[in-house]
Amino acid sequence: MRLQKFMADAGIASRRKCEEYIAEGRVKVNGNTAVIGCTVEDGDEVLFDGNPVCGKTERVAIVLNKPQGVVCTSSDPEGRRTVVDYVKELPYRLYNVGRLDYDSEGLIILTNDGDLAYKMMHPKFTVEKTYHVVCTGSLTDSDKERLEKGVALEDGLTAPAKIENIEYSRGRTAFDITIHEGRNRQVRRMLFAVGREVMLLRRIKEGSITLGELKGGQWRYLTEGELDSLMREQ
């Protein structure tokens, strides 16, 4: 088995992140510093930062309603609250799948399942994400058409988005937008490109998983059925 998969199955991080750890020289196999492409077999000793890495653990995933002002990481040098802080009482090493920026809120998945994290984050898979947005001004038909066709950003043209449930009120517009890319602050930048400023950004759905009635800071376990459904989605 490839070393990065072994580490991901043990709940260290996603496969991609584990590859970074290997490249940084933080992993040893049988006393030797590992390299990318290394494989492991039953009985091999694997150490990450000097700590033993055990075999595959129980698959766990939760969905958290991330509040605004919380960072999507396991620790923060500035001392800000992290998504992992909400589940620190659990006896699992969980990490977030993807990110929501500091000022955004809503659905974030945390797991110890490297295969699930890989499936949810790798660009070759098209897992849809839906956000509820409130922006300044009135979103015009022209704005909607541009968003749905793709918007030119500094890192390239975005894939077509889907806009639904538009409501206008007191100089602002509320609507839902669905995308399948994972660029940094993508929805905010897309709205800025059509002359709108985001006032509220809440992720309400990722793949087949919905935020439901979870309040800010609340979380729940995903069922085995939901996990299997995510693994089947393209």
Side-chain angles (χ1 to χ4, degrees), residues 76-89:
D76 181 65
E78 299 178 30
R80 295 172 296 182
R81 193 162 196 184
T82 76
V83 290
V84 173
D85 288 334
Y86 288 92
V87 295
K88 60 186 178 182
E89 75 276 11

Side-chain angles (χ1 to χ4, degrees), residues 210-226:
T210 60
L211 188 60
E213 299 300 318
L214 289 176
K215 301 184 183 302
Q218 291 184 336
W219 60 269
R220 68 171 179 85
Y221 286 105
L222 296 184
T223 66
E224 283 296 320
E226 288 175 321

Side-chain angles (χ1 to χ4, degrees), residues 128 130 144 147-148 159-164 175-179:
E128 290 190 338
T130 301
K144 180 175 180 290
L147 293 170
E148 292 186 326
K162 180 167 61 177
I163 308 295
E164 298 177 298
F175 61 96
D176 296 337
I177 180 171
T178 300
I179 62 174

Side-chain angles (χ1 to χ4, degrees), residues 42-113:
D42 290 343
D44 286 341
E45 180 189 56
V46 179
L47 301 179
F48 172 57
D49 287 343
N51 299 310
V53 179
C54 300
K56 190 168 186 176
T57 61
E58 177 187 2
R59 182 173 70 162
V60 174
I62 70 166
V63 55
L64 166 73
N65 185 348
K66 183 192 95 68
Q68 294 182 19
V70 174
V71 293
C72 287
T73 184
S74 58
S75 61
D76 181 65
E78 299 178 30
R80 295 172 296 182
R81 193 162 196 184
T82 76
V83 290
V84 173
D85 288 334
Y86 288 92
V87 295
K88 60 186 178 182
E89 75 276 11
L90 297 179
Y92 308 103
R93 182 173 182 169
L94 303 179
Y95 50 91
N96 49 285
V97 179
R99 294 177 181 272
L100 283 171
D101 66 59
Y102 184 76
D103 296 318
S104 298
E105 60 186 61
L107 188 157
I108 190 83
I109 293 174
L110 293 93
T111 188
N112 63 353
D113 186 339

